[in-house]
Amino acid sequence: MASTSASSVQKSFMYDVFLSFRGEDTRKTFVDHLYHALHQKGIITYKDDETIEKGERISEQLMRSIEALRFHIIVFSKNYASSSWCLDEPVKIMECQKMTEHTAYPIFYDVEPTEVRNQRGSVGEAFAEHEKEGSTRKRKRTLEDVDVKVLHFAKKEKEDYVGRWRNALKEVAGLAGMELKNTFNGHEAKFIQQIVQDISLKLRFVNFSIDGKLVGMETRVKNVVSSVEIGSDDVRMIGIKGMGGGGKTTLARAVFDHISIWFEDVLNDQSIFEKRNLDLENMMRKMMRSRKVVVVLDDVDDIDQLDALAGEFSWFKPEEMSKCW
């Protein structure tokens, strides 16, 4: 029964991530870099590049796309709330958030969470324009002597939309997300790396329920990732030991999948143990120099192998934040 359920969940999502963003603010800059970073990590991402006319309602196709995706990244920027199209997306996303298997992930690019939550600053100005637009439509229709009932309906429809937009932004801003200016001192490249790592981690834990080999390993993976301390400046060596068949290789692979985006190289040479120890040592010293690397050693059952591949802390430069286990 569990296998059938997992398979149906896996098949129901065509993409991993949906990107909601204001095109004029971030399409060719931040969102473009984020999209390619997700793609390089193997995270299948939906990014709508169609040009939407101002005031046009969100399409049924896009509605279905939001429903069909597991994770929704909402990139809040200064002009995000000025687009009714953009505002429709978090409304639908939060409807999905209340269902199982869906997760919204807010990113505050050049606005603060409090601005979004309380609709202040540029967000508040945008909502004032939306409400003004509704009043303008009412005055225009009054001059045209449109039926009073129709006027009331149009005003009520606009108020309903604005109310739903406000509630959705309050809910999204209350979720766990990331703010650029308070993360990595505003460095976008590192910020994007962190987003990709977080999404990758979340996707991996979702896939634990699908991949029978990974069931029950969430806590173990989190513990090892925590021990690695990605943000530290020291050399970290971690040993995973146990009886054969206990899942050591599977655990190491799962951890590597989570953190590999932070490192430049991975050593994966099955013939490496055929080399003489001196050759190994010289090669490893050369590879570690001035690089940010992660070294994963599997099937090590001889101390000479460990000494040859990761003999001393001095092989790794602390400032390069190298890790080895």
Side-chain angles (χ1 to χ4, degrees), residues 203-247:
L203 284 171
R204 172 61 63 174
F205 289 153
V206 167
N207 291 336
F208 280 143
S209 62
I210 298 173
D211 188 342
K213 295 180 180 179
L214 301 176
V215 172
M217 295 192 69
E218 297 95 326
T219 301
R220 296 170 66 186
V221 172
K222 287 181 179 179
N223 288 341
V224 175
V225 171
S226 176
S227 298
V228 171
E229 296 183 2
I230 294 295
S232 67
D233 293 330
D234 65 344
V235 177
R236 184 71 51 163
M237 293 189 179
I238 300 174
I240 302 175
K241 64 179 182 178
M243 299 293 292

Side-chain angles (χ1 to χ4, degrees), residues 117-134:
R117 183 183 303 110
N118 301 321
Q119 280 104 58
R120 296 176 180 172
S122 61
V123 180
E125 294 171 3
F127 271 100
E129 286 297 318
H130 289 304
E131 291 170 343
K132 180 180 177 181
E133 180 183 340

Side-chain angles (χ1 to χ4, degrees), residues 98-115:
K98 295 179 175 65
M99 302 163 55
T100 58
E101 312 295 342
H102 292 270
T103 301
Y105 192 86
I107 301 297
F108 303 95
Y109 178 65
D110 55 6
V111 294
E112 297 181 2
T114 54
E115 292 182 75

Side-chain angles (χ1 to χ4, degrees), residues 273-287:
F273 292 123
E274 298 175 5
K275 304 178 187 294
R276 292 185 299 111
N277 281 353
L278 183 58
D279 293 335
L280 287 173
E281 181 176 334
N282 291 335
M283 182 179 70
M284 294 301 290
R285 284 175 180 269
K286 182 178 180 181
M287 290 181 64

Side-chain angles (χ1 to χ4, degrees), residues 22 50 58 66 81 84 118 142 190 220 240 297 302 306 318:
R22 184 69 164 117
E50 294 181 0
I58 190 169
I66 291 174
S84 58
N118 301 321
T142 301
K190 293 181 178 180
R220 296 170 66 186
I240 302 175
L297 308 178
D302 190 307
L306 187 60

Side-chain angles (χ1 to χ4, degrees), residues 24-273:
E24 68 180 50
D25 287 348
T26 57
R27 173 178 282 115
K28 295 181 179 180
T29 53
F30 178 79
V31 166
D32 189 50
H33 299 317
L34 174 59
Y35 175 81
H36 286 289
L38 290 165
H39 179 74
Q40 290 175 354
K41 188 64 176 175
I43 298 173
I44 306 173
T45 304
Y46 182 97
K47 180 167 70 76
D48 180 32
D49 283 321
E50 294 181 0
T51 301
I52 307 302
E53 296 296 330
K54 183 177 180 180
E56 189 176 352
R57 293 265 68 78
I58 190 169
S59 70
E60 289 299 319
Q61 180 182 355
L62 200 55
M63 287 279 200
R64 289 192 296 269
S65 297
I66 291 174
E67 292 175 353
L69 274 80
R70 179 178 288 117
F71 290 97
H72 307 92
I73 298 178
I74 306 173
V75 181
F76 288 112
S77 55
K78 288 190 179 299
N79 294 304
Y80 184 94
S82 66
S83 167
S84 58
W85 178 275
C86 287
L87 290 172
D88 281 342
E89 292 179 0
V91 171
K92 183 62 178 178
I93 288 170
M94 292 313 297
E95 289 178 5
C96 294
Q97 169 81 4
K98 295 179 175 65
M99 302 163 55
T100 58
E101 312 295 342
H102 292 270
T103 301
Y105 192 86
I107 301 297
F108 303 95
Y109 178 65
D110 55 6
V111 294
E112 297 181 2
T114 54
E115 292 182 75
V116 177
R117 183 183 303 110
N118 301 321
Q119 280 104 58
R120 296 176 180 172
S122 61
V123 180
E125 294 171 3
F127 271 100
E129 286 297 318
H130 289 304
E131 291 170 343
K132 180 180 177 181
E133 180 183 340
S135 299
T136 301
R137 287 179 178 176
K138 178 184 176 183
R139 289 196 297 271
K140 181 178 179 181
R141 292 184 179 186
T142 301
L143 292 172
E144 294 173 351
D145 295 325
V146 181
D147 187 89
V148 175
K149 292 182 179 179
V150 176
L151 287 173
H152 179 73
F153 177 78
K155 178 183 178 183
K156 184 66 166 60
E157 181 184 29
K158 183 66 178 182
E159 290 175 347
D160 288 345
Y161 271 120
V162 172
R164 287 198 293 269
W165 293 339
R166 287 188 180 278
N167 290 335
L169 291 198
K170 288 179 182 178
E171 292 180 4
V172 174
L175 300 175
M178 294 181 65
E179 184 180 0
L180 174 59
K181 77 171 187 177
N182 291 331
T183 309
F184 299 112
N185 199 29
H187 290 281
E188 287 192 17
K190 293 181 178 180
F191 184 66
I192 287 173
Q193 283 186 320
Q194 184 63 62
I195 295 171
V196 175
Q197 184 192 21
D198 288 352
I199 296 298
S200 177
L201 193 64
K202 293 176 186 297
L203 284 171
R204 172 61 63 174
F205 289 153
V206 167
N207 291 336
F208 280 143
S209 62
I210 298 173
D211 188 342
K213 295 180 180 179
L214 301 176
V215 172
M217 295 192 69
E218 297 95 326
T219 301
R220 296 170 66 186
V221 172
K222 287 181 179 179
N223 288 341
V224 175
V225 171
S226 176
S227 298
V228 171
E229 296 183 2
I230 294 295
S232 67
D233 293 330
D234 65 344
V235 177
R236 184 71 51 163
M237 293 189 179
I238 300 174
I240 302 175
K241 64 179 182 178
M243 299 293 292
K248 298 185 296 299
T249 297
T250 302
L251 175 59
R253 169 54 62 182
V255 173
F256 170 76
D257 287 342
H258 295 326
I259 69 173
S260 59
I261 189 174
W262 291 95
F263 300 92
E264 297 172 7
D265 294 288
V266 57
L267 180 63
N268 185 22
D269 185 355
Q270 298 298 324
S271 64
I272 193 168
F273 292 123

